[in-house]
Amino acid sequence: MPDFVAPQFTEKSLQETRRAVGCGDLYVFGYGSLMWRPGFRFIECSVARIYGYHRRLAVCSWHYRGTPQKPGLVFGLDKGGSCYGMLYRVATKNKGRILRYLFRREMFANVYMPRFVAASPEDGKGAQRALVFVVRRDSPNYAPPMPDDKARRIIRRATGMSGSNVDYIKSTQQRLTAMGVACPQLTRLCRGL
């Protein structure tokens, strides 16, 4: 596992993202805990799919789902493939506050990069330009792919500020199932947790 990286907040990146959002409502794509615990007010949400990234246990969690002594594993979007998740629409009047909340939550250890992607809702309304947080492969908190048995050992022993790593994994799987999204890799990983 990589060395612990002290929490960081990137005000410059927040301001750049705020400018990139522009006028109108903000769309946010959630693929991990944002699917089942967004923590912000939105005016609508729908199941959506993005291309060019896939959901993977790509982040060592030292805070939310683990500690420096027993880090956990959480999802990040890594390059390649596609990913189903939730697309949230945030009202224009709330987007500044919601962006700040998302940056404090997601950019905290400087392991993610804010990006804009085309998110296609399953309801057929047409793709939306959505903010998403993509894993940084150059971060010391980046977790390379590993066998399921190794991932299970890490997940079973990790608990952080937001609860156990097992609960995080199972909550994500339950939310995907409720959305009607099959994720064989996650289902396989959950066996034995």
Side-chain angles (χ1 to χ4, degrees):
M1 298 297 272
D3 294 329
F4 175 69
V5 175
Q8 299 178 24
F9 181 77
T10 55
E11 188 68 33
K12 179 182 175 189
S13 186
L14 171 62
Q15 297 308 323
E16 290 171 356
T17 303
R18 185 176 285 170
R19 283 191 295 276
V21 169
C23 299
D25 295 340
L26 167 68
Y27 287 85
V28 177
F29 181 80
Y31 56 87
S33 63
L34 283 176
M35 292 189 306
W36 43 270
R37 190 179 54 84
F40 59 87
R41 186 172 291 190
F42 52 89
I43 52 180
E44 66 181 10
C45 68
S46 61
V47 176
R49 188 176 190 179
I50 64 169
Y51 293 90
Y53 297 99
H54 65 284
R55 177 182 16 256
R56 190 175 73 68
L57 289 171
V59 177
C60 294
S61 177
W62 312 101
H63 183 71
Y64 289 126
R65 297 294 172 166
T67 64
Q69 297 77 26
K70 293 182 181 178
L73 291 170
V74 296
F75 292 108
L77 284 180
D78 212 347
K79 293 178 183 179
S82 67
C83 180
Y84 280 98
M86 293 300 297
L87 180 63
Y88 298 99
R89 182 175 160 218
V90 174
T92 304
K93 67 180 181 178
N94 296 328
K95 70 182 176 186
R97 183 173 45 80
I98 303 294
L99 276 171
R100 182 163 291 280
Y101 163 77
L102 287 169
F103 267 66
R104 289 195 185 281
R105 176 175 167 166
E106 303 296 328
M107 296 288 286
F108 144 137
N110 206 21
V111 69
Y112 294 111
M113 299 178 290
R115 291 286 181 260
F116 288 93
V117 297
S120 301
E122 291 291 288
D123 59 15
K125 288 186 178 177
Q128 297 293 334
R129 182 174 177 261
L131 174 67
V132 70
F133 294 92
V134 175
V135 70
R136 290 181 47 195
R137 288 184 173 184
D138 64 339
S139 170
N141 294 51
Y142 177 75
M146 65 184 73
D148 286 351
D149 58 340
K150 181 177 180 181
R152 280 189 206 97
R153 283 194 302 273
I154 293 168
I155 291 164
R156 277 191 214 110
R157 68 179 188 182
T159 298
M161 183 189 83
S162 295
S164 79
N165 205 179
V166 170
D167 287 346
Y168 168 85
I169 300 297
K170 289 185 175 183
S171 294
T172 302
Q173 182 195 33
Q174 289 166 0
R175 182 63 179 140
L176 287 169
T177 300
M179 292 162 50
V181 175
C183 185
Q185 180 183 12
L186 186 53
T187 301
R188 187 180 68 240
L189 180 69
C190 284
R191 290 188 194 118
L193 285 183

